[in-house]
Amino acid sequence: MTTNAAQVFVAGSGRFLPQTTVNNFELYEMDSIRSAFDVEAARASLRDIEEDEAAGLDAAQVFDHWSVQVTGIQKRRIMDPDMLAWRSATPECRLPTWTSFSSRR
């Protein structure tokens, strides 16, 4: 039995690092994060901080301490809302001009 299997190859790879960064305080200001985050549960779960010190933290500070404790992340890179994800990868994923799919057969 003969099959016509297409050859598959990696034409290239790319990378993209968004320019915009947000820290935990800025992230907490997003309505979706703020409304979903249980400040008191997070405050109760904080380690390496005295109870009276934790009680004096505002909600954004609790989020920052909790985020670092759980994820270790203090700052994230995010896509600008006006940039589509596929556009960010387009320049890095273009085939070199000398590469032709038809010549690979």
Side-chain angles (χ1 to χ4, degrees):
M1 179 175 176
T2 305
T3 61
N4 291 331
Q7 290 182 331
V8 178
F9 63 95
V10 175
S13 63
R15 63 180 177 264
F16 177 78
L17 188 61
Q19 296 297 312
T20 306
T21 60
V22 293
N23 62 32
N24 291 332
F25 294 98
E26 294 164 325
L27 187 65
Y28 183 75
E29 292 305 314
M30 296 179 180
D31 289 333
S32 58
I33 300 291
R34 194 172 340 116
S35 64
F37 185 66
D38 186 339
V39 176
E40 293 312 314
R43 187 186 312 272
S45 73
L46 293 178
R47 298 184 306 256
D48 301 327
I49 187 169
E50 296 295 325
E51 191 174 326
D52 57 336
E53 183 182 351
L57 299 176
D58 66 30
Q61 291 170 317
V62 171
F63 181 77
D64 178 55
H65 281 279
W66 179 85
S67 295
V68 172
Q69 175 180 294
V70 171
T71 67
I73 299 172
Q74 296 176 333
K75 186 177 5 176
R76 297 151 182 82
R77 291 187 175 269
I78 61 171
M79 295 288 289
D80 289 325
D82 59 340
M83 178 174 267
L84 299 173
W86 66 267
R87 285 190 180 168
S88 65
T90 301
E92 288 78 10
C93 293
R94 284 197 182 105
L95 292 173
T97 56
W98 50 265
T99 302
S100 168
F101 285 108
S102 61
S103 67
R104 297 277 183 176
R105 292 183 182 171

